[in-house]
Every structure is written in structure tokens, then in C-alpha cells.
């Protein structure tokens, strides 16, 4: 097979080439979205490109959508996909350079990663943050160590601070909606709103959504959250940030609902005010907005039944698009690493 064969679908060569951990790994987001939407219409058009290629999906945390959509995507490209639950089935991994491993960790990532790299043509990894040590979480040590030692391309299935396959999916879903929505002669308005939750959750999805919407650059973007929930500016710069949720929601076209724990006083719950939950009354402030969430969602805590079960909710469409995001990303990496 030639590279020309591999690169024949619309939107190819938009990056990523060697790793996919952030928006900066993509040279043209719209081209990548075009490619994903092409795959949605033609799932098996590139069934041959991954023949005799094997992809390893490593999970240090639970997953439903990421795990299954990435497997389906790889198989649509003809790859063999093998899932390994590192947290349950593997040896406890050590990530610190120079660690004296006389505690609970059994195998160093610098030993395990090159072995995995010899078994697979591409590795995908999901890790979560500890939410205890911000500096350590934001250093992205786990995924960085895999990238450093694996010797093969690495795709993030969610890292300590970002969730790029989710965010690419989110842009795909917004683009898809825009193609059928009467928003003309202006940019779409997109709001990311904090919502309550009973547990402290990572900032990954919110950070990543902000990073990708800003990098995409084709929406007027507002982030709204209670005081103390500021996200890291490295991701939010370019967005309007407000504590006034009603003002943020007014006339918006898309509302992305997500909880996150605090960034500054790291990993805490500082607000449980259920008035931050999106309700049909609040939705009336919007331009009949479409409501998004990455899932899983705690019903009637983060989002009301009345919203999730309404025609405004596009969460199922959004989750379905995870396959096409993953397929476009894997295919670009295959093309760059024949
Ligand atoms: N949105 C998302 O990443 O879902 P999973 O945790 O089920 O993979």
C-alpha cells in the first residue's frame, strides 16, 4: 500500500502524526472534522489501511465510551485492537525516575513501555489525575513517560489534564449541528457551564473543551462557573469567563455541561449549589440551545431528567461521534507511520 492510498480520504494529513494528546497535535481541526464526518458516512472505506497492524488500549481507570469507541474505530480500519486493564490485570507501575522500588510498585514504566511498544504498532493510554498534587498532575508524568519510552505513536484516551478524543468529538458534533441549524451570518455561541457533583472530578474535560474551542476559533466562547472554580488560564485564554450563569446562557446556541473540581485550591468541592444545574427554565434563556455532556452523567445532580430526555439534548449523538473522532485520529497516525 502506498501513502497515496492511505491519504485518499477527505481531510487526511491534518495531523496528528506521532502523538495525540492535545489540540496542538493537529494542524487543521476542520480538516480532521471533515475526515471524521466522512468516516461517519463511510465507516469501512479504509478497512484495508490497518491490515496487520495492532493497537493496544491501556486503561488505568474505568471507561465505557472511550474504550469501546476506540476499539470500534480501530477495527473499522482493519486493525486488531487489544484492551489491557493495567490497573486490574497488570503489575503496579512506577513512573518516577530513579525511584527506589521498595514499596507497592512492581514494574517501572521504562521497562514496561518499550515491551508494549514491541507488541503494538500504536498505544492508547487512559490515566486520571490524583487530584491531590496539582504540580504532579499538570506535569502529565504518566502519559509523558509512555511517550518517552514506548517507541511507537501514543494516543491519549484521557490524561491527567486533557481529553482530546472527547474534545475532537465535541467539535465534530457542533459542526454537525451547525450544518442543520439556522445560524447564519454570525458565529455560533458556545457556553461551557459548571454543574454540581457529589465527588471531586478532574478538570480534564473542561480544560480540553476550552483548549479545542479556542484552537478551532470559530465560535464565541463563554465559560461560566461559581467563584473558586477558575480553570487554568493556559486552556481558557480567549474565552469570556463569568460567574453569572444566566448572563452566559442568554441567546447561546450550545451549552456544554460539566462538573470539575477546583484548580487553584486543588481538587476540592467548594460549591454544592444545585441552582447551577441546568433546568428547562434556564434553557429558555438560550437560543433553544443544544445541550452537550461528555457522559457519564449523574442525572438530577449534574443535569436534570427534563433536559436529558428533551429534544435539546444531543448527548447520545455526541457519544456516538466518539467512534469517528478516534477513527480519523488513528488513521492519520497510521498514514504518518506506515
Ligand atoms: N466521555 C468518556 O470519556 O466516557 P468514558 O469515561 O465512559 O470513556
Amino acid at each position: 500500500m502506498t501513502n497515496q492510498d492511505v491519504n485518499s480520504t477527505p481531510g487526511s494529513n491534518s495531523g496528528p502524526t506521532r502523538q495525540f494528546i492535545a489540540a496542538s497535535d493537529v494542524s487543521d481541526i476542520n480538516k480532521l472534522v471533515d475526515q471524521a464526518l466522512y468516516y461517519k458516512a463511510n465507516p469501512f472505506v479504509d478497512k484495508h489501511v490497518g491490515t496487520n497492524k495492532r493497537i493496544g488500549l491501556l486503561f488505568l481507570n474505568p471507561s465505557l465510551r472511550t474504550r469501546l469507541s476506540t476499539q470500534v474505530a480501530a477495527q473499522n480500519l482493519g486493525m486488531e485492537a487489544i484492551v489491557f486493564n493495567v490497573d486490574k490485570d497488570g503489575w503496579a507501575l512506577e513512573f518516577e525516575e530513579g525511584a527506589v522500588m521498595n514499596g507497592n510498585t512492581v514494574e517501572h514504566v521504562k521497562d514496561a513501555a518499550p515491551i508494549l511498544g514491541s507488541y503494538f504498532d500504536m498505544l492508547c493510554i487512559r490515566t486520571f489525575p490524583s487530584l491531590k498534587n496539582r504540580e504532579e498532575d499538570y506535569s502529565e508524568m504518566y502519559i509523558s513517560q509512555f511517550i518517552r519510552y514506548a517507541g511507537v505513536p501514543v494516543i491519549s484516551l484521557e490524561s491527567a489534564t486533557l481529553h482530546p478524543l472527547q474534545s475532537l468529538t465535541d467539535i465534530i458534533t457542533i459542526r454537525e449541528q451547525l450544518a442543520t441549524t439556522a445560524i447564519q451570518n454570525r458565529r455560533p455561541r458556545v457556553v461551557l457551564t459548571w454543574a454540581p457533583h457529589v465527588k471531586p472530578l478532574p478538570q480534564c474535560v473542561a480544560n480540553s473543551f476550552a483548549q479545542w474551542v479556542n484552537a478551532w476559533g470559530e465560535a464565541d466562547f463563554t465559560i461560566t462557573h461559581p467563584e473558586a472554580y477558575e480553570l487554568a488560564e493556559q486552556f481558557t485564554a480567549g474565552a469570556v469567563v463569568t460567574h453569572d450563569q444566566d448572563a452566559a446562557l442568554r441567546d447561546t446556541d450550545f451549552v456544554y455541561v460539566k462538573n470539575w473540581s477546583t484548580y487553584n485550591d486543588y481538587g476540592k468541592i467548594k460549591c454544592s449549589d444545585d441552582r447551577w444545574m441546568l433546568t428547562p427554565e434556564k434553557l429558555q434563556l438560550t437560543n433553544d440551545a443544544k445541550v452537550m455532556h461528555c457522559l457519564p452523567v449523574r442525572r438530577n445532580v449534574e443535569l436534570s431528567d427534563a433536559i436529558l430526555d428533551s429534544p435539546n439534548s444531543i448527548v447520545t449523538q455526541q457519544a456516538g461521534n466518539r467512534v469517528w473522532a478516534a477513527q480519523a485520529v488513528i488513521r492519520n497516525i497510521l498514514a504518518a507511520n506506515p
Side-chain angles (χ1 to χ4, degrees):
M1 183 189 315
T2 65
N3 267 352
Q4 200 173 1
D5 293 324
V6 173
N7 293 332
S8 60
T9 50
S12 54
N13 301 323
S14 49
T17 55
R18 186 73 187 170
Q19 65 180 35
F20 183 70
I21 58 172
S24 55
D25 292 318
V26 177
S27 54
D28 187 329
I29 290 176
N30 272 326
K31 276 177 78 176
L32 194 58
V33 171
D34 288 342
Q35 188 178 13
L37 291 172
Y38 182 76
Y39 279 137
K40 187 167 183 172
N42 307 276
F44 306 114
V45 68
D46 277 339
K47 184 75 185 170
H48 58 291
V49 301
T51 304
N52 298 331
K53 298 276 187 181
R54 195 174 290 129
I55 187 168
L57 279 61
L58 310 181
F59 286 85
L60 284 85
N61 306 94
S63 165
L64 185 153
R65 280 145 290 270
T66 307
R67 172 180 174 146
L68 295 172
S69 63
T70 310
Q71 269 185 284
V72 171
Q75 288 173 6
N76 284 352
L77 293 169
M79 299 182 87
E80 183 183 3
I82 295 179
V83 175
F84 185 56
N85 295 314
V86 180
D87 56 333
K88 296 185 184 69
D89 303 324
W91 301 112
L93 288 178
E94 176 62 58
F95 290 87
E96 289 282 350
E97 288 292 340
V100 178
M101 291 172 54
N102 58 1
N104 293 329
T105 54
V106 177
E107 180 161 30
H108 203 284
V109 67
K110 65 165 69 174
D111 298 316
I115 295 165
L116 292 164
S118 74
Y119 298 159
F120 296 103
D121 299 285
M122 204 179 292
L123 282 176
C124 306
I125 297 152
R126 166 173 278 200
T127 68
F128 274 178
S130 66
L131 293 181
K132 292 184 172 68
N133 182 331
R134 187 177 80 183
E135 198 180 337
E136 190 176 288
D137 287 345
Y138 275 69
S139 76
E140 290 286 11
M141 179 174 65
Y142 289 7
I143 199 153
S144 301
Q145 293 282 64
F146 270 104
I147 290 168
R148 181 172 177 191
Y149 292 116
V152 294
V154 171
I155 294 174
S156 168
L157 299 175
E158 188 170 354
S159 66
T161 67
L162 293 169
H163 196 351
L165 283 173
Q166 179 65 54
S167 307
L168 172 58
T169 301
D170 300 335
I171 304 291
I172 291 167
T173 308
I174 291 171
R175 274 263 318 264
E176 205 174 29
Q177 283 290 326
L178 289 175
T180 59
T181 310
I183 300 171
Q184 283 165 0
N185 303 321
R186 66 171 175 83
R187 287 152 63 89
R189 300 179 190 116
V190 175
V191 169
L192 168 64
T193 180
W194 183 91
H197 203 284
V198 291
K199 291 192 167 177
L201 296 190
Q203 293 109 33
C204 314
V205 170
N207 285 345
S208 198
F209 185 69
Q211 183 189 62
W212 279 74
V213 174
N214 282 326
W216 182 44
E218 296 194 8
D220 290 344
F221 183 37
T222 301
I223 303 172
T224 184
H225 55 71
E227 285 181 28
Y229 278 86
E230 278 70 22
L231 293 162
E233 267 185 47
Q234 68 190 94
F235 305 118
T236 60
V240 173
V241 180
T242 173
H243 299 145
D244 185 341
Q245 190 191 42
D246 284 358
L249 292 175
R250 198 154 290 126
D251 294 329
T252 197
D253 305 301
F254 295 90
V255 187
Y256 200 106
V257 179
K258 185 72 185 87
N259 171 268
W260 60 88
S261 59
T262 52
Y263 170 74
N264 287 323
D265 185 9
Y266 192 57
K268 306 272 191 326
I269 294 178
K270 300 227 169 189
C271 176
S272 306
D273 187 347
D274 62 10
R275 287 174 298 181
W276 275 87
M277 186 171 71
L278 192 65
T279 58
E281 293 70 39
K282 288 188 185 210
L283 203 59
Q284 284 182 359
L285 296 170
T286 71
N287 181 31
D288 197 23
K290 298 298 181 192
V291 178
M292 305 175 71
H293 189 287
C294 63
L295 305 180
V297 63
R298 290 202 181 222
R299 281 177 173 253
N300 304 312
V301 176
E302 265 185 293
L303 255 175
S304 63
D305 281 342
I307 295 280
L308 280 165
D309 298 334
S310 78
N312 291 77
S313 170
I314 55 170
V315 298
T316 306
Q317 174 191 351
Q318 187 184 353
N321 283 338
R322 292 293 306 269
V323 171
W324 318 117
Q327 193 163 333
V329 166
I330 293 169
R331 186 197 171 288
N332 271 275
I333 292 178
L334 277 174
N337 301 271

